[in-house]
Amino acid sequence: MAQWTSTVSAAQLARQLRSQQPRPLPPGARKPPAYRALADGVRLLVLEGRVPVAARLPAERELALALSLSRTTVAAAYEALRAEGFLESRRGAGSWTAVPAGNPLPARGLEPLPPESLGSMIDLGCASLPAPEPWLTRAVQGALEELPPYAHTHGDYPAGLPALRQMIADRYTGHGIPTMPEQIMVTTGAMGAIDAIRHLFAGRGERIAVESPSYANILQLMREAGARLVPVAMAEGLGGWDMNRWRQVLRDAAPRLAYVVADFHNPTGALVDEQQRRALVEAARSAGTVLVVDETMQELCLDPDVEMPRKVCAFDPAGSTVLTVGSASKAFWAGMRIGWVRAAPDVIRSLVAARAYADMGTPVLEQLAINWLMRTGGWEQAVAIRREQARENRDDLVRALRRELPGWDFEVPAGGLTLWVRTGGLSGSRLAVAGERAGVRVPSGPRFGVDGAFEGYVRLPFTVGGPVAEEAAVRLAAAAALVGSGTGAGAEAPRTFVA
């Protein structure tokens, strides 16, 4: 019986290996032999989670052809990986990735650390803040008071509670976008909404256009669903979308779906202006592409002098081209898994019908809690707390980074929860591995790209402030020093910096 659970093709592995920046060498050190560089590259991909554990690697001959190396070089690299515990093999079953005994399994996504790990590790992997109390407690108490009538029903509401659908529709109408409750489906978080949309509109092998960079968890969701991702580069800095590139991709690739974040883009923090929003809707409509707009960061405007543009769906009020996804997770609390889709009524009906074969519905108590917040004005007060937290954290983190890592480059966004940081020529993947050993968890740039792009970046969220932000910057500087010395991804490096 084979011990592998997934496969990595020779072409895919070659692209990921070529995207890596060369490992820095200490002064006077010799360049390692080709087999050693190849083994180090594969080991780094496993440690960083970009090649999963228990993934079957291509045969030696296949990888040698893809990398233009000799088969002897690949065989030697595989043998080195086996000796270090990063590869297992069996005659007739091939070779598959592993981790040495005692090593933690790398995470493929950006899952938060378990609570028991937070004492020794600063977690910059997950862009989420603690709950804005007292509003979480009040919302749950209010939901419990309103629960009894629902408890006498079957509790199955595939489209969402009617009261919450009406409340969300009214909020869109209040933004000048007339919306009926029939245009709303409540989902289990934004991820549930996007997965439902992808399942309905884009089957395995369909093209989906995505911003480059884009939200890592959505990219992984689409990859695992078998989508063919078509990256579209963002404009430089905080410039938003490059409309010339979008028009070309929509015209030439004719993707079935396009996924975008217009408001405080994750990870760059860009706020797309109104002209670009209108232009993208028009281009998508002409191409027959369904535009999925993620609004989860929309309410997190941190600078008071910023004038928010109209929502993207304002340029497609009927919801035939633009499917809008919202969520309580970023604006309120990640533990409140309530999301929603706004679309044309016929699209909502199709999504609801398809849902019977997925998750059936969203928990009633959580829907009642969000409905209570929105109805009583608690939502606005809770979001105001969230903005203040994020603004203070952002400013603390920016000051600490500029002091400890002056060679790193970034622009400060006016909202959202993330900094997109160019790491001064260091490998983001090696920084992520070194950071784990220095006591800070940070996702590397390639997680937010397609086929290994953005190796020279990391994403840093505004999730810590004050002394913790200062300590995070100190630990990042220690990780950068490890990478710069050439020991950042090596198993032999000392654990001096772990708190």
Side-chain angles (χ1 to χ4, degrees), residues 214-254:
S214 186
Y215 179 35
N217 286 341
I218 293 298
L219 294 180
Q220 190 62 31
L221 170 74
M222 293 176 175
R223 287 190 193 101
E224 293 184 354
R228 298 165 63 190
L229 298 181
V230 183
V232 186
M234 297 285 287
E236 285 295 314
L238 299 177
W241 296 326
D242 185 324
M243 283 311 305
N244 289 332
R245 287 173 170 161
W246 268 106
R247 290 188 184 95
Q248 180 179 355
V249 165
L250 292 174
R251 181 181 64 247
D252 296 346

Side-chain angles (χ1 to χ4, degrees), residues 44 80 115 199:
L44 181 62
H199 189 269

Side-chain angles (χ1 to χ4, degrees), residues 475-494:
R475 296 185 187 189
L476 282 170
L482 283 173
V483 174
S485 69
T487 61
E492 72 288 355

Side-chain angles (χ1 to χ4, degrees), residues 301-322:
C301 181
L302 307 184
D303 293 339
D305 58 341
V306 173
E307 183 177 351
M308 291 296 294
R310 282 183 288 174
K311 292 174 177 284
V312 177
C313 59
F315 305 103
D316 179 50
S320 57
T321 296
V322 177

Side-chain angles (χ1 to χ4, degrees), residues 113-153:
L113 284 173
E116 61 269 19
S117 301
L118 295 178
S120 60
M121 183 74 69
I122 298 176
D123 186 8
L124 297 182
C126 186
S128 297
L129 289 163
E133 289 287 27
W135 292 105
L136 174 61
T137 300
R138 292 180 182 176
V140 173
Q141 290 171 341
L144 286 171
E145 293 174 0
E146 297 176 6
L147 181 61
Y150 295 93
H152 291 293
T153 74

Side-chain angles (χ1 to χ4, degrees), residues 11-12 16 22 69 90-91 96 114 145 154 162 273 284 354 360 368 374 407 416 428 433 483 494 498:
Q12 178 186 358
Q16 290 182 294
L69 294 173
R90 194 172 71 195
R91 186 179 297 278
W96 56 91
E145 293 174 0
H154 49 61
D273 65 37
M360 296 294 291
L368 287 173
M374 291 181 172
V433 174
V483 174
V498 176

